[in-house]
Amino acid sequence: MANSALTLSEIDAFYGDSHVLQRVSFQLGEGRLLGLLGRNGAGKTTCMNVSVGLLPPRSGSVELFGAPVTKLPPESIAARGVALVPQGRRVFKSLTVRENLMVAARVGFAGHGQIPWTAETVFAMFPRLAERRQQMAGYLSGGEQQMLAIGRALMANPRVLLMDEPSEGLAPQIVAEVMATIRKLKESGLSIVLVEQSPKLVFDIADDIVILNSGRVAVVSTAAALKQDGVDLRQHLGVF
Amino acid sequence: MTFWLLLTVNSVTFGGLLFLLSAGFSLIFGLMRIPNLTHGSMFMVGAYLGSTFLGGALGFTLDFWAAAIISALEVAVLGALMERLLLRRLAGQQLAQVLVTLGVSFMVADLCLMGWGGDPISVSTPAGLGGFVRVGLAVFPLYRMAVIGIAVVFAIALWLMLERTRLGAMIRAGVDDPQMARVVGIRVSRLFTIVFGLGAGLAGFAGMIGAPILSVYPGLDQDMLPLALVVVILGGTGSLLGSFLGSIVVGFIYNFGQALLPELAYFVLFLPMVLVLVLRPQGLFGGRLL
Ligand SMILES: Nc1ncnc2c1ncn2[C@@H]1O[C@H](COP(=O)(O)OP(=O)(O)OP(=O)(O)O)[C@@H](O)[C@H]1O
Ligand SMILES: [Mg+2]
C-alpha cells in the first residue's frame, strides 16, 4: 500500500459511559479513497469525530502522514490538512455562501503544479453556488448545502478529505453529481474517506473498504476483492 | 412640551449609552454563552479610570476623549485577562460562570471603593460640548447629542466589523456552530478572548462617556448591569440590531418610568423583561446576529 495519509490505531472512544468505538484500526493510503461502511449507529461518524479532534479517544492513536495528532484540538488538526464534510452538512446558516467559504480558507497543502482552491475555483465547480454567493446558507436547498459543505472543506486545501454520508437525503440526480465531484477530487490526488451506509455508491469509486459493525471493524479489504468474492455483507450492513 | 422633548432626548441618550454597554454583553453571551455579570463593573471601572486620567494621574492631564480611549483599552485588557485566566477554565459550566463573574464584580466593587472612596466623582462635560443647540423653539444639550452620535457611529462600526470583515464572519460562524467552526480551523478560543476584550472595552468606554451625565459612584456597576440584562433579553442575545433597538426601548422605559412613576421605576423596567422571557424567549427582534 502507498504511504499512509491517515491511520487510526486501536481507537477506543466513549460518549459518557457508552463505549462507541472498540479497538478500531484502519489506514487511508495516500491518494486513495477509502469507503467506510456500516449501518446506523455503527460508529462511522464517531470515527470522523475522532479523526478531526472533536472527540479525543480514550486510548489508541491517530496519525497524519506518520505524525501523531491524537490529542490535538480540531483547529490544529485542520491546520495540518484534514477537512471534514460533516454528516447533515452543518453549513454556517447565518453566513452567506461566500462567507461560508471565506472563513474556511487557508493556504493548506495544494500540490505542486495544482491550482489551489479559492472561492472562485469552488464557484467554477459548483455554478449553482456562484449564483447564490450572497445568499444566506440557511436558505439553500439540501443539495446546494451539500455542495457548499464540500466547497467549504476544499477551501482549506486539505491533504485528507473526510466525507460523512454526502448522499444522505439527496435526490438521485444530485447524488450522481456529488459522486462525480468526489471522483474528480480523487483524480486530483486527494486522500479521501467516504462514509456511506449503502455499498452500492461506494464500491465503484473506492479503492479500499472498511466495514464497521457495532463499533468494531468487521471487514477490511479492497473494493476489487470484495466485488470479486461477492462476500455476503448483509450480516454487517443489513438488507440492501 | 419642552419637558417631553427633553425626556425624549434623555431617553435616546441613555439608550445610546446602554447600547455601548450591552452590545458587548450580547456578543459575549451570543458567542460564548457566558452571562458576564462583571459587565457593570467594566462600565464603572472605565469611568473611574477615565476620571482619574482627567485628574492628571499619569503625571499630565489628558483631555476627555484621550482619557476615555485609554481607560477603554485598559478595561479591554482586564476583560481579556479575565477570560483567559478565569472563564476559560469554566467552559460550558454556566452556573460556575454566573457565580465567578458575580463574585468578581463584588471584588471589583470593593477595590474601587478602596481606591476611589465612597463619594461620587463628577466628571465635567468635555470642552466645547457644554452648550446647547437650538432647533426652532427647542433647545438640546450639546453633549447628549454627541453621545447619541457616538453610539450611532459605534453601532455602524460594529455592524461593519461583524458583517463585512472576515473576523466578523468567523465570529458569526462561531455563534452558529462552534464545533464546526473549530473543525474548519477557526481558532474559536482566540475569538472568545477578542470578543470578551472588545465587549469589556466598549463597556469601559461607555462608563467614561456616561460619566458627565451619571457621574461615578460606588454602586454604579449594580445600577447598570440589570439594565444591560433587560436590553439583551428584550433584544435577543447575540444580535447587534436587537441590542440597538432594545437599548432605545429601555432608554425610554427607564427615563419615562423615573419621570412619571418614580416609585415604580424598576417595576416598569423589569415587567417587559419578565413578559418577554416567558412569552417570547428569543427576544422581541428574533435571535439573529445582525
Ligand atoms: N453525542 C453522542 N452522545 C451519546 N451517544 C452518541 C452520541 N453520538 C452518537 N452516539 C452513539 O454512538 C453510536 C455510534 O454513533 P455514530 O454517530 O458514530 O454512528 P454512525 O455510524 O455515524 O450512524 P449513522 O449512519 O446513523 O450516521 C450510536 O449508538 C449512537 O447512538
Ligand atoms: Mg453518522
Side-chain angles (χ1 to χ4, degrees):
Chain A
M1 192 189 257
N3 286 336
S4 174
L6 177 72
T7 311
L8 272 64
S9 315
E10 306 273 302
I11 296 288
D12 278 284
F14 289 73
Y15 289 113
D17 284 340
S18 77
H19 195 171
V20 176
L21 294 183
Q22 305 185 27
R23 303 181 78 76
V24 166
S25 304
F26 61 80
Q27 245 185 45
L28 166 67
E30 191 171 352
R32 293 177 74 89
L33 194 151
L34 183 149
L36 182 58
L37 299 167
R39 59 177 88 166
N40 281 321
K44 306 179 298 293
T45 298
T46 308
C47 286
M48 299 297 101
N49 288 345
V50 166
S51 304
V52 299
L54 279 179
L55 181 71
R58 179 126 353 143
S59 63
S61 69
V62 183
E63 284 180 14
L64 194 60
F65 292 93
V69 296
T70 314
K71 296 268 147 89
L72 291 183
E75 52 272 30
S76 305
I77 292 181
R80 284 166 173 73
V82 179
L84 172 69
V85 179
Q87 185 165 20
R89 296 134 204 165
R90 290 174 75 172
V91 296
F92 300 117
K93 290 194 167 58
S94 68
L95 272 62
T96 64
V97 167
R98 194 168 169 283
E99 286 171 337
N100 264 277
L101 299 178
M102 295 321 295
V103 295
R106 59 173 66 238
V107 177
F109 295 85
H112 266 300
Q114 263 182 341
I115 304 164
W117 291 102
T118 61
E120 288 318 310
T121 51
V122 169
F123 286 144
M125 178 156 78
F126 299 119
R128 256 182 301 170
L129 290 183
E131 291 163 25
R132 292 165 175 73
R133 66 179 78 194
Q134 297 302 345
Q135 196 169 315
M136 290 298 165
Y139 298 134
L140 297 178
S141 73
E144 290 159 355
Q145 289 193 6
Q146 190 58 262
M147 291 168 195
L148 181 56
I150 295 172
R152 178 179 66 182
L154 295 174
M155 288 296 286
N157 287 295
R159 300 189 274 182
V160 172
L161 180 63
L162 310 175
M163 308 180 90
D164 197 346
E165 302 202 31
S167 69
E168 196 180 28
L170 300 183
Q173 191 200 335
I174 312 279
V175 171
E177 256 178 75
V178 168
M179 287 298 155
T181 305
I182 296 173
R183 207 177 285 276
K184 263 193 256 171
L185 294 173
K186 182 191 169 192
E187 279 158 16
S188 78
L190 202 52
S191 314
I192 299 173
V193 176
L194 174 60
V195 172
E196 283 293 346
Q197 286 197 31
S198 139
K200 278 185 215 135
L201 285 173
V202 178
F203 270 35
D204 285 340
I205 193 176
D207 301 303
D208 306 297
I209 299 284
V210 171
I211 298 178
L212 289 178
N213 193 348
S214 310
R216 295 171 188 274
V217 173
V219 174
V220 181
S221 184
T222 62
L226 282 181
K227 260 194 283 194
Q228 203 165 34
D229 300 355
V231 180
D232 188 7
L233 299 175
R234 268 172 295 186
Q235 54 168 326
H236 302 304
L237 295 172
V239 183
F240 55 85
Chain B
M1 177 64 202
T2 335
F3 171 75
W4 296 109
L5 203 59
L6 203 61
L7 201 54
T8 302
V9 171
N10 286 352
S11 301
V12 178
T13 308
F14 198 61
L17 279 180
L18 286 179
F19 171 72
L20 292 176
L21 175 68
S22 58
F25 187 91
S26 169
L27 271 184
I28 289 168
F29 192 83
L31 181 63
M32 301 151 84
R33 306 271 125 207
I34 291 179
N36 175 26
L37 301 187
T38 66
H39 221 70
S41 319
M42 303 295 180
F43 184 92
M44 180 171 76
V45 169
Y48 270 129
L49 285 175
S51 70
T52 308
F53 296 150
L54 276 185
L58 299 175
F60 50 92
T61 45
L62 288 176
D63 93 315
F64 181 86
W65 302 109
I69 289 167
I70 292 179
S71 63
L73 291 176
E74 291 194 357
V75 176
V77 171
L78 285 180
L81 283 176
M82 194 171 87
E83 194 276 324
R84 282 260 128 153
L85 301 179
L86 297 177
L87 295 172
R88 170 138 319 176
R89 293 161 201 271
L90 305 175
Q93 308 171 43
Q94 252 186 4
L95 182 61
Q97 292 163 352
V98 167
L99 294 175
V100 163
T101 56
L102 185 66
V104 169
S105 78
F106 286 134
M107 288 157 62
V108 168
D110 258 5
L111 288 176
C112 287
L113 191 61
M114 196 173 85
W116 282 282
D119 295 329
I121 299 172
S122 59
V123 172
S124 48
T125 311
L129 293 176
F132 293 85
V133 269
R134 182 177 290 280
V135 179
L137 284 180
V139 189
F140 299 105
L142 203 51
Y143 183 66
R144 285 176 188 263
M145 306 309 282
V147 170
I148 296 170
I150 290 169
V152 169
V153 167
F154 269 82
I156 294 171
L158 276 175
W159 184 85
L160 287 174
M161 190 275 284
L162 275 175
E163 292 294 318
R164 290 287 178 269
T165 68
R166 184 155 184 255
L167 175 67
M170 286 177 168
I171 291 173
R172 284 180 289 131
V175 175
D176 250 16
D177 188 339
Q179 276 198 338
M180 204 50 221
R182 296 182 69 189
V183 170
V184 305
I186 297 171
R187 285 153 71 184
V188 174
S189 81
R190 203 180 52 165
L191 290 184
F192 283 6
T193 310
I194 292 174
V195 167
F196 215 93
L198 179 71
L202 280 172
F205 185 72
M208 185 57 183
I209 298 295
I213 300 170
L214 303 169
S215 81
V216 201
Y217 54 90
L220 178 61
D221 51 346
Q222 301 306 334
D223 283 350
M224 296 310 286
L225 177 66
L227 296 172
L229 286 174
V230 179
V231 166
V232 168
I233 284 158
L234 291 187
T237 52
S239 157
L240 200 58
L241 185 66
S243 297
F244 192 80
L245 297 175
S247 297
I248 303 293
V249 170
V250 172
F252 273 91
I253 295 177
Y254 185 74
N255 278 278
F256 276 74
Q258 292 235 315
L260 304 178
L261 294 166
E263 60 285 3
L264 286 178
Y266 269 99
F267 185 89
V268 172
L269 182 64
F270 284 101
L271 181 65
M273 181 184 97
V274 170
L275 290 180
V276 165
L277 273 179
V278 173
L279 301 176
R280 203 181 146 79
Q282 74 273 37
L284 286 180
F285 311 107
R288 215 188 84 63
L289 191 83
L290 247 169

